Amino acid sequence: MSEVDGRTVSRRVVLGGVAAGFAGVLPVRKASPVGEAAIDAVAGRLDRELIALRRDLHRHPEGPGDERRTSGIVACRLRDAGLEVVTGVGGYGVVGVLRGARPGRTVAFRADMDAVPPQDQVNGGPDVAHLCGHDIHTAVGIGVAEVLARLRHRLAGNVVFVFQPAEESVSGAAAMLADGAFARTVPVEIHALHCWAVDVGRFVVTPGFGLPGQDRGTVTLTGPDAAGQAERLATALNALSTVRAPSTSEELDRLVADIERPDGPLREFVYLRAQAAQDQVRVMSRCWPERNYVAVREEIRRLAGPATVTFPADPRPAMVCPEPEGIAMQRYLTRTLGAGQVGRAHAAVPFSGEDFGYFLDGMPGTYTLLGVRRPGEDVMTAYPHFGTFDPDERAIGHGVRVMVGWLSTRSRPLIGL
């Protein structure tokens, strides 16, 4: 997840064709021959090694666009597992293809690799650091690839592993796509996990939700009291926010709970930050649903009066996860883990962004939240971007097992069409 970004692109169309076509019901899928017992047996032999890998990545964080060492480790591990590997995709991106022994579909898994720059940390330090869990994502991705490679004789279809740079700058996904990430092997859907502040071993699916986009604008004032006008305008604009960023453990706990609350307070929101600088006011907003950007822009212009208001581009679109695949993931997790270990998001996080949506532009998929909170620990130890972020490393094994089973199920041929 990216806390702060300045990237804006033209409005994209959120995927709807597949979701509308099946009205929430997916075609029948053959059961995967990669059984849970086999997955657990192989994954169990890798658990300690993957934790050691995560610790190594954690000690050597690399910021957005600087993932040279991390990508080198990823490429080496994938090659050793027998995957077809391409490096240097959209920067330091790595794409690995695992081909199953049986015919089937081609699906993809995305793991982001970069660490968080100091300016995007909450009460963090002066250096880049893995405070968003991308080191865990990378370890999970490598683990999934290595487990599936060892079970290749049971795997139907292909799995494309996308290790993405520069998520924190919200530029890596678009760069990989522009550089032909799927030029050789085209998946029909793509999936991702992201660390989240719920108990380790628990997962939260996100059908119909995801993360908001972002809009940016500038108001320029004139006259002898321009600086004073700017301060007053910034105060008025900040009052448009319907939510405020959490700063205490209690507020974070409430936010995490509200994400899963049907018809809760975050189902629709405006999060706006306005900052005065001499004769200008810089404005950033995140809205859910996206149609709210129109009304927010109109209100900014109204409050600005005769001042010059500039929006350099369309708002960066939200990451909206397709419902059919998300519901299918919920059913899969419930069946394999039990209902108590599975939650469902009914809102988007107002204060974070993600560029995984660029992959979802071209294909359906899922974005599932991976619990990393130790039992009894403060929520600040598990909430991304906080300087106190200290996830439970057992989440790696949970993520590997779930995604191996899920991807091997999704790569099976569809029937009933």
Side-chain angles (χ1 to χ4, degrees), residues 209-245:
F209 290 92
L211 291 169
Q214 187 182 80
D215 196 15
R216 287 187 180 272
T218 302
V219 182
T220 303
L221 299 109
T222 58
D225 188 35
Q229 293 179 61
E231 291 287 350
R232 292 189 291 273
L233 177 61
T235 300
L237 293 177
N238 282 320
L240 297 178
S241 282
T242 63
V243 293
R244 69 173 188 174

PDB file of all heavy atoms in Angstrom, residues 209-245:
ATOM      1  N   PHE A 209     -14.646  -3.771  -3.375  1.00  0.00           N
ATOM      2  CA  PHE A 209     -13.932  -2.679  -2.717  1.00  0.00           C
ATOM      3  C   PHE A 209     -12.456  -2.759  -3.070  1.00  0.00           C
ATOM      4  O   PHE A 209     -12.074  -3.420  -4.010  1.00  0.00           O
ATOM      5  CB  PHE A 209     -14.166  -2.718  -1.201  1.00  0.00           C
ATOM      6  CG  PHE A 209     -15.574  -2.356  -0.829  1.00  0.00           C
ATOM      7  CD1 PHE A 209     -16.541  -3.345  -0.689  1.00  0.00           C
ATOM      8  CD2 PHE A 209     -15.943  -1.032  -0.675  1.00  0.00           C
ATOM      9  CE1 PHE A 209     -17.851  -3.022  -0.375  1.00  0.00           C
ATOM     10  CE2 PHE A 209     -17.244  -0.685  -0.371  1.00  0.00           C
ATOM     11  CZ  PHE A 209     -18.199  -1.688  -0.219  1.00  0.00           C
ATOM     12  N   GLY A 210     -11.629  -2.081  -2.348  1.00  0.00           N
ATOM     13  CA  GLY A 210     -10.206  -2.057  -2.647  1.00  0.00           C
ATOM     14  C   GLY A 210      -9.559  -0.881  -1.952  1.00  0.00           C
ATOM     15  O   GLY A 210      -9.603  -0.749  -0.737  1.00  0.00           O
ATOM     16  N   LEU A 211      -9.011   0.027  -2.750  1.00  0.00           N
ATOM     17  CA  LEU A 211      -8.379   1.227  -2.209  1.00  0.00           C
ATOM     18  C   LEU A 211      -8.708   2.416  -3.107  1.00  0.00           C
ATOM     19  O   LEU A 211      -8.823   2.259  -4.331  1.00  0.00           O
ATOM     20  CB  LEU A 211      -6.862   1.047  -2.113  1.00  0.00           C
ATOM     21  CG  LEU A 211      -6.382   0.038  -1.064  1.00  0.00           C
ATOM     22  CD1 LEU A 211      -4.898  -0.255  -1.243  1.00  0.00           C
ATOM     23  CD2 LEU A 211      -6.660   0.528   0.344  1.00  0.00           C
ATOM     24  N   PRO A 212      -8.863   3.601  -2.529  1.00  0.00           N
ATOM     25  CA  PRO A 212      -9.259   4.762  -3.336  1.00  0.00           C
ATOM     26  C   PRO A 212      -8.148   5.259  -4.235  1.00  0.00           C
ATOM     27  O   PRO A 212      -6.964   4.959  -4.020  1.00  0.00           O
ATOM     28  CB  PRO A 212      -9.606   5.818  -2.270  1.00  0.00           C
ATOM     29  CG  PRO A 212      -8.758   5.445  -1.105  1.00  0.00           C
ATOM     30  CD  PRO A 212      -8.695   3.941  -1.105  1.00  0.00           C
ATOM     31  N   GLY A 213      -8.546   6.020  -5.241  1.00  0.00           N
ATOM     32  CA  GLY A 213      -7.577   6.729  -6.061  1.00  0.00           C
ATOM     33  C   GLY A 213      -7.171   8.019  -5.378  1.00  0.00           C
ATOM     34  O   GLY A 213      -7.210   8.135  -4.150  1.00  0.00           O
ATOM     35  N   GLN A 214      -6.832   9.007  -6.179  1.00  0.00           N
ATOM     36  CA  GLN A 214      -6.388  10.264  -5.583  1.00  0.00           C
ATOM     37  C   GLN A 214      -6.551  11.397  -6.583  1.00  0.00           C
ATOM     38  O   GLN A 214      -6.388  11.204  -7.793  1.00  0.00           O
ATOM     39  CB  GLN A 214      -4.917  10.159  -5.175  1.00  0.00           C
ATOM     40  CG  GLN A 214      -4.404  11.354  -4.381  1.00  0.00           C
ATOM     41  CD  GLN A 214      -2.923  11.191  -4.045  1.00  0.00           C
ATOM     42  OE1 GLN A 214      -2.064  11.445  -4.887  1.00  0.00           O
ATOM     43  NE2 GLN A 214      -2.626  10.755  -2.841  1.00  0.00           N
ATOM     44  N   ASP A 215      -6.889  12.568  -6.075  1.00  0.00           N
ATOM     45  CA  ASP A 215      -6.971  13.769  -6.901  1.00  0.00           C
ATOM     46  C   ASP A 215      -6.064  14.833  -6.295  1.00  0.00           C
ATOM     47  O   ASP A 215      -5.903  14.901  -5.068  1.00  0.00           O
ATOM     48  CB  ASP A 215      -8.414  14.279  -6.957  1.00  0.00           C
ATOM     49  CG  ASP A 215      -8.637  15.264  -8.096  1.00  0.00           C
ATOM     50  OD1 ASP A 215      -7.769  15.342  -8.999  1.00  0.00           O
ATOM     51  OD2 ASP A 215      -9.677  15.961  -8.091  1.00  0.00           O
ATOM     52  N   ARG A 216      -5.477  15.666  -7.139  1.00  0.00           N
ATOM     53  CA  ARG A 216      -4.621  16.758  -6.675  1.00  0.00           C
ATOM     54  C   ARG A 216      -4.959  18.034  -7.431  1.00  0.00           C
ATOM     55  O   ARG A 216      -5.293  17.983  -8.622  1.00  0.00           O
ATOM     56  CB  ARG A 216      -3.138  16.429  -6.864  1.00  0.00           C
ATOM     57  CG  ARG A 216      -2.613  15.384  -5.880  1.00  0.00           C
ATOM     58  CD  ARG A 216      -1.108  15.221  -6.003  1.00  0.00           C
ATOM     59  NE  ARG A 216      -0.606  14.239  -5.064  1.00  0.00           N
ATOM     60  CZ  ARG A 216      -0.222  14.494  -3.816  1.00  0.00           C
ATOM     61  NH1 ARG A 216      -0.288  15.740  -3.359  1.00  0.00           N
ATOM     62  NH2 ARG A 216       0.235  13.537  -3.024  1.00  0.00           N
ATOM     63  N   GLY A 217      -4.890  19.142  -6.739  1.00  0.00           N
ATOM     64  CA  GLY A 217      -5.144  20.426  -7.362  1.00  0.00           C
ATOM     65  C   GLY A 217      -4.437  21.544  -6.636  1.00  0.00           C
ATOM     66  O   GLY A 217      -3.891  21.352  -5.542  1.00  0.00           O
ATOM     67  N   THR A 218      -4.438  22.715  -7.235  1.00  0.00           N
ATOM     68  CA  THR A 218      -3.792  23.892  -6.659  1.00  0.00           C
ATOM     69  C   THR A 218      -4.705  25.097  -6.809  1.00  0.00           C
ATOM     70  O   THR A 218      -5.309  25.306  -7.871  1.00  0.00           O
ATOM     71  CB  THR A 218      -2.450  24.191  -7.363  1.00  0.00           C
ATOM     72  OG1 THR A 218      -1.599  23.052  -7.242  1.00  0.00           O
ATOM     73  CG2 THR A 218      -1.765  25.395  -6.737  1.00  0.00           C
ATOM     74  N   VAL A 219      -4.814  25.860  -5.740  1.00  0.00           N
ATOM     75  CA  VAL A 219      -5.563  27.117  -5.763  1.00  0.00           C
ATOM     76  C   VAL A 219      -4.559  28.256  -5.607  1.00  0.00           C
ATOM     77  O   VAL A 219      -3.768  28.270  -4.658  1.00  0.00           O
ATOM     78  CB  VAL A 219      -6.602  27.184  -4.628  1.00  0.00           C
ATOM     79  CG1 VAL A 219      -7.385  28.492  -4.712  1.00  0.00           C
ATOM     80  CG2 VAL A 219      -7.537  25.975  -4.679  1.00  0.00           C
ATOM     81  N   THR A 220      -4.574  29.205  -6.550  1.00  0.00           N
ATOM     82  CA  THR A 220      -3.664  30.347  -6.513  1.00  0.00           C
ATOM     83  C   THR A 220      -4.458  31.618  -6.234  1.00  0.00           C
ATOM     84  O   THR A 220      -5.400  31.942  -6.954  1.00  0.00           O
ATOM     85  CB  THR A 220      -2.903  30.488  -7.842  1.00  0.00           C
ATOM     86  OG1 THR A 220      -2.200  29.262  -8.107  1.00  0.00           O
ATOM     87  CG2 THR A 220      -1.900  31.633  -7.758  1.00  0.00           C
ATOM     88  N   LEU A 221      -4.063  32.336  -5.182  1.00  0.00           N
ATOM     89  CA  LEU A 221      -4.782  33.548  -4.764  1.00  0.00           C
ATOM     90  C   LEU A 221      -3.944  34.789  -5.099  1.00  0.00           C
ATOM     91  O   LEU A 221      -2.729  34.713  -5.287  1.00  0.00           O
ATOM     92  CB  LEU A 221      -5.077  33.496  -3.265  1.00  0.00           C
ATOM     93  CG  LEU A 221      -5.959  32.286  -2.881  1.00  0.00           C
ATOM     94  CD1 LEU A 221      -5.147  31.258  -2.117  1.00  0.00           C
ATOM     95  CD2 LEU A 221      -7.156  32.733  -2.074  1.00  0.00           C
ATOM     96  N   THR A 222      -4.608  35.918  -5.165  1.00  0.00           N
ATOM     97  CA  THR A 222      -3.929  37.170  -5.493  1.00  0.00           C
ATOM     98  C   THR A 222      -4.323  38.249  -4.484  1.00  0.00           C
ATOM     99  O   THR A 222      -5.261  38.081  -3.699  1.00  0.00           O
ATOM    100  CB  THR A 222      -4.302  37.638  -6.908  1.00  0.00           C
ATOM    101  OG1 THR A 222      -5.727  37.808  -7.000  1.00  0.00           O
ATOM    102  CG2 THR A 222      -3.834  36.648  -7.958  1.00  0.00           C
ATOM    103  N   GLY A 223      -3.607  39.347  -4.530  1.00  0.00           N
ATOM    104  CA  GLY A 223      -3.925  40.479  -3.656  1.00  0.00           C
ATOM    105  C   GLY A 223      -2.952  40.587  -2.499  1.00  0.00           C
ATOM    106  O   GLY A 223      -2.163  39.675  -2.228  1.00  0.00           O
ATOM    107  N   PRO A 224      -3.001  41.705  -1.795  1.00  0.00           N
ATOM    108  CA  PRO A 224      -2.051  41.956  -0.711  1.00  0.00           C
ATOM    109  C   PRO A 224      -2.199  40.973   0.455  1.00  0.00           C
ATOM    110  O   PRO A 224      -1.253  40.753   1.208  1.00  0.00           O
ATOM    111  CB  PRO A 224      -2.381  43.391  -0.275  1.00  0.00           C
ATOM    112  CG  PRO A 224      -3.788  43.627  -0.748  1.00  0.00           C
ATOM    113  CD  PRO A 224      -3.930  42.848  -2.000  1.00  0.00           C
ATOM    114  N   ASP A 225      -3.379  40.361   0.624  1.00  0.00           N
ATOM    115  CA  ASP A 225      -3.600  39.413   1.720  1.00  0.00           C
ATOM    116  C   ASP A 225      -3.670  37.976   1.209  1.00  0.00           C
ATOM    117  O   ASP A 225      -4.344  37.122   1.787  1.00  0.00           O
ATOM    118  CB  ASP A 225      -4.902  39.774   2.446  1.00  0.00           C
ATOM    119  CG  ASP A 225      -5.097  38.950   3.712  1.00  0.00           C
ATOM    120  OD1 ASP A 225      -4.085  38.642   4.372  1.00  0.00           O
ATOM    121  OD2 ASP A 225      -6.252  38.596   4.013  1.00  0.00           O
ATOM    122  N   ALA A 226      -2.943  37.702   0.114  1.00  0.00           N
ATOM    123  CA  ALA A 226      -3.019  36.375  -0.503  1.00  0.00           C
ATOM    124  C   ALA A 226      -2.626  35.271   0.477  1.00  0.00           C
ATOM    125  O   ALA A 226      -3.268  34.218   0.537  1.00  0.00           O
ATOM    126  CB  ALA A 226      -2.135  36.315  -1.744  1.00  0.00           C
ATOM    127  N   ALA A 227      -1.569  35.504   1.252  1.00  0.00           N
ATOM    128  CA  ALA A 227      -1.121  34.478   2.199  1.00  0.00           C
ATOM    129  C   ALA A 227      -2.179  34.218   3.267  1.00  0.00           C
ATOM    130  O   ALA A 227      -2.454  33.065   3.634  1.00  0.00           O
ATOM    131  CB  ALA A 227       0.194  34.891   2.850  1.00  0.00           C
ATOM    132  N   GLY A 228      -2.808  35.262   3.768  1.00  0.00           N
ATOM    133  CA  GLY A 228      -3.868  35.095   4.757  1.00  0.00           C
ATOM    134  C   GLY A 228      -5.080  34.397   4.170  1.00  0.00           C
ATOM    135  O   GLY A 228      -5.702  33.538   4.819  1.00  0.00           O
ATOM    136  N   GLN A 229      -5.428  34.773   2.932  1.00  0.00           N
ATOM    137  CA  GLN A 229      -6.546  34.099   2.265  1.00  0.00           C
ATOM    138  C   GLN A 229      -6.254  32.605   2.103  1.00  0.00           C
ATOM    139  O   GLN A 229      -7.147  31.774   2.268  1.00  0.00           O
ATOM    140  CB  GLN A 229      -6.767  34.719   0.890  1.00  0.00           C
ATOM    141  CG  GLN A 229      -7.252  36.160   0.883  1.00  0.00           C
ATOM    142  CD  GLN A 229      -7.413  36.661  -0.547  1.00  0.00           C
ATOM    143  OE1 GLN A 229      -8.197  36.113  -1.328  1.00  0.00           O
ATOM    144  NE2 GLN A 229      -6.644  37.689  -0.901  1.00  0.00           N
ATOM    145  N   ALA A 230      -5.005  32.302   1.759  1.00  0.00           N
ATOM    146  CA  ALA A 230      -4.631  30.900   1.564  1.00  0.00           C
ATOM    147  C   ALA A 230      -4.795  30.099   2.847  1.00  0.00           C
ATOM    148  O   ALA A 230      -5.309  28.966   2.830  1.00  0.00           O
ATOM    149  CB  ALA A 230      -3.196  30.817   1.059  1.00  0.00           C
ATOM    150  N   GLU A 231      -4.388  30.663   3.974  1.00  0.00           N
ATOM    151  CA  GLU A 231      -4.530  29.967   5.253  1.00  0.00           C
ATOM    152  C   GLU A 231      -5.998  29.724   5.576  1.00  0.00           C
ATOM    153  O   GLU A 231      -6.388  28.630   6.009  1.00  0.00           O
ATOM    154  CB  GLU A 231      -3.874  30.782   6.370  1.00  0.00           C
ATOM    155  CG  GLU A 231      -2.353  30.858   6.292  1.00  0.00           C
ATOM    156  CD  GLU A 231      -1.688  29.549   6.669  1.00  0.00           C
ATOM    157  OE1 GLU A 231      -2.389  28.644   7.181  1.00  0.00           O
ATOM    158  OE2 GLU A 231      -0.473  29.417   6.450  1.00  0.00           O
ATOM    159  N   ARG A 232      -6.826  30.739   5.378  1.00  0.00           N
ATOM    160  CA  ARG A 232      -8.250  30.597   5.679  1.00  0.00           C
ATOM    161  C   ARG A 232      -8.921  29.590   4.747  1.00  0.00           C
ATOM    162  O   ARG A 232      -9.776  28.795   5.167  1.00  0.00           O
ATOM    163  CB  ARG A 232      -8.939  31.957   5.603  1.00  0.00           C
ATOM    164  CG  ARG A 232      -8.510  32.928   6.717  1.00  0.00           C
ATOM    165  CD  ARG A 232      -9.359  34.177   6.731  1.00  0.00           C
ATOM    166  NE  ARG A 232      -9.126  35.026   5.563  1.00  0.00           N
ATOM    167  CZ  ARG A 232      -8.174  35.955   5.490  1.00  0.00           C
ATOM    168  NH1 ARG A 232      -7.333  36.153   6.507  1.00  0.00           N
ATOM    169  NH2 ARG A 232      -8.036  36.709   4.404  1.00  0.00           N
ATOM    170  N   LEU A 233      -8.517  29.626   3.472  1.00  0.00           N
ATOM    171  CA  LEU A 233      -9.096  28.686   2.510  1.00  0.00           C
ATOM    172  C   LEU A 233      -8.684  27.254   2.853  1.00  0.00           C
ATOM    173  O   LEU A 233      -9.513  26.331   2.779  1.00  0.00           O
ATOM    174  CB  LEU A 233      -8.657  29.040   1.089  1.00  0.00           C
ATOM    175  CG  LEU A 233      -9.142  28.089  -0.019  1.00  0.00           C
ATOM    176  CD1 LEU A 233     -10.673  28.061  -0.064  1.00  0.00           C
ATOM    177  CD2 LEU A 233      -8.574  28.512  -1.369  1.00  0.00           C
ATOM    178  N   ALA A 234      -7.438  27.055   3.227  1.00  0.00           N
ATOM    179  CA  ALA A 234      -6.980  25.710   3.587  1.00  0.00           C
ATOM    180  C   ALA A 234      -7.802  25.162   4.753  1.00  0.00           C
ATOM    181  O   ALA A 234      -8.196  23.981   4.763  1.00  0.00           O
ATOM    182  CB  ALA A 234      -5.497  25.730   3.938  1.00  0.00           C
ATOM    183  N   THR A 235      -8.078  26.003   5.726  1.00  0.00           N
ATOM    184  CA  THR A 235      -8.901  25.572   6.856  1.00  0.00           C
ATOM    185  C   THR A 235     -10.299  25.165   6.406  1.00  0.00           C
ATOM    186  O   THR A 235     -10.844  24.135   6.833  1.00  0.00           O
ATOM    187  CB  THR A 235      -8.992  26.703   7.898  1.00  0.00           C
ATOM    188  OG1 THR A 235      -7.680  27.023   8.378  1.00  0.00           O
ATOM    189  CG2 THR A 235      -9.878  26.288   9.068  1.00  0.00           C
ATOM    190  N   ALA A 236     -10.890  25.942   5.515  1.00  0.00           N
ATOM    191  CA  ALA A 236     -12.228  25.639   5.018  1.00  0.00           C
ATOM    192  C   ALA A 236     -12.237  24.349   4.200  1.00  0.00           C
ATOM    193  O   ALA A 236     -13.177  23.544   4.292  1.00  0.00           O
ATOM    194  CB  ALA A 236     -12.740  26.807   4.173  1.00  0.00           C
ATOM    195  N   LEU A 237     -11.201  24.149   3.396  1.00  0.00           N
ATOM    196  CA  LEU A 237     -11.141  22.944   2.569  1.00  0.00           C
ATOM    197  C   LEU A 237     -10.930  21.698   3.425  1.00  0.00           C
ATOM    198  O   LEU A 237     -11.531  20.642   3.165  1.00  0.00           O
ATOM    199  CB  LEU A 237     -10.022  23.072   1.538  1.00  0.00           C
ATOM    200  CG  LEU A 237     -10.220  24.129   0.450  1.00  0.00           C
ATOM    201  CD1 LEU A 237      -9.005  24.206  -0.462  1.00  0.00           C
ATOM    202  CD2 LEU A 237     -11.471  23.831  -0.376  1.00  0.00           C
ATOM    203  N   ASN A 238     -10.086  21.799   4.427  1.00  0.00           N
ATOM    204  CA  ASN A 238      -9.861  20.637   5.293  1.00  0.00           C
ATOM    205  C   ASN A 238     -11.139  20.202   6.003  1.00  0.00           C
ATOM    206  O   ASN A 238     -11.299  19.024   6.342  1.00  0.00           O
ATOM    207  CB  ASN A 238      -8.773  20.944   6.322  1.00  0.00           C
ATOM    208  CG  ASN A 238      -7.376  20.852   5.724  1.00  0.00           C
ATOM    209  OD1 ASN A 238      -7.099  19.953   4.923  1.00  0.00           O
ATOM    210  ND2 ASN A 238      -6.493  21.761   6.099  1.00  0.00           N
ATOM    211  N   ALA A 239     -12.051  21.133   6.200  1.00  0.00           N
ATOM    212  CA  ALA A 239     -13.323  20.813   6.845  1.00  0.00           C
ATOM    213  C   ALA A 239     -14.220  19.936   5.964  1.00  0.00           C
ATOM    214  O   ALA A 239     -15.215  19.383   6.448  1.00  0.00           O
ATOM    215  CB  ALA A 239     -14.053  22.096   7.229  1.00  0.00           C
ATOM    216  N   LEU A 240     -13.862  19.787   4.675  1.00  0.00           N
ATOM    217  CA  LEU A 240     -14.649  18.945   3.779  1.00  0.00           C
ATOM    218  C   LEU A 240     -14.435  17.459   4.057  1.00  0.00           C
ATOM    219  O   LEU A 240     -15.242  16.620   3.643  1.00  0.00           O
ATOM    220  CB  LEU A 240     -14.297  19.240   2.316  1.00  0.00           C
ATOM    221  CG  LEU A 240     -14.600  20.652   1.805  1.00  0.00           C
ATOM    222  CD1 LEU A 240     -14.137  20.793   0.359  1.00  0.00           C
ATOM    223  CD2 LEU A 240     -16.084  20.963   1.925  1.00  0.00           C
ATOM    224  N   SER A 241     -13.333  17.113   4.725  1.00  0.00           N
ATOM    225  CA  SER A 241     -13.063  15.708   5.032  1.00  0.00           C
ATOM    226  C   SER A 241     -14.149  15.137   5.930  1.00  0.00           C
ATOM    227  O   SER A 241     -14.565  15.771   6.910  1.00  0.00           O
ATOM    228  CB  SER A 241     -11.708  15.557   5.732  1.00  0.00           C
ATOM    229  OG  SER A 241     -10.638  15.648   4.825  1.00  0.00           O
ATOM    230  N   THR A 242     -14.578  13.945   5.600  1.00  0.00           N
ATOM    231  CA  THR A 242     -15.529  13.245   6.467  1.00  0.00           C
ATOM    232  C   THR A 242     -14.818  12.256   7.380  1.00  0.00           C
ATOM    233  O   THR A 242     -15.449  11.644   8.249  1.00  0.00           O
ATOM    234  CB  THR A 242     -16.572  12.501   5.624  1.00  0.00           C
ATOM    235  OG1 THR A 242     -15.914  11.502   4.828  1.00  0.00           O
ATOM    236  CG2 THR A 242     -17.315  13.459   4.712  1.00  0.00           C
ATOM    237  N   VAL A 243     -13.523  12.049   7.169  1.00  0.00           N
ATOM    238  CA  VAL A 243     -12.724  11.154   8.003  1.00  0.00           C
ATOM    239  C   VAL A 243     -11.391  11.831   8.296  1.00  0.00           C
ATOM    240  O   VAL A 243     -10.960  12.736   7.576  1.00  0.00           O
ATOM    241  CB  VAL A 243     -12.462   9.794   7.311  1.00  0.00           C
ATOM    242  CG1 VAL A 243     -13.747   9.007   7.149  1.00  0.00           C
ATOM    243  CG2 VAL A 243     -11.782  10.002   5.956  1.00  0.00           C
ATOM    244  N   ARG A 244     -10.730  11.388   9.332  1.00  0.00           N
ATOM    245  CA  ARG A 244      -9.394  11.877   9.626  1.00  0.00           C
ATOM    246  C   ARG A 244      -8.460  10.700   9.824  1.00  0.00           C
ATOM    247  O   ARG A 244      -8.877   9.622  10.277  1.00  0.00           O
ATOM    248  CB  ARG A 244      -9.381  12.775  10.867  1.00  0.00           C
ATOM    249  CG  ARG A 244      -9.637  12.056  12.172  1.00  0.00           C
ATOM    250  CD  ARG A 244      -9.423  12.997  13.355  1.00  0.00           C
ATOM    251  NE  ARG A 244      -9.490  12.266  14.629  1.00  0.00           N
ATOM    252  CZ  ARG A 244      -9.224  12.825  15.797  1.00  0.00           C
ATOM    253  NH1 ARG A 244      -8.893  14.109  15.860  1.00  0.00           N
ATOM    254  NH2 ARG A 244      -9.293  12.110  16.898  1.00  0.00           N
ATOM    255  N   ALA A 245      -7.201  10.902   9.513  1.00  0.00           N
ATOM    256  CA  ALA A 245      -6.225   9.824   9.608  1.00  0.00           C
ATOM    257  C   ALA A 245      -6.052   9.412  11.067  1.00  0.00           C
ATOM    258  O   ALA A 245      -5.938  10.264  11.952  1.00  0.00           O
ATOM    259  CB  ALA A 245      -4.886  10.270   9.024  1.00  0.00           C
TER     260      ALA A 245
END
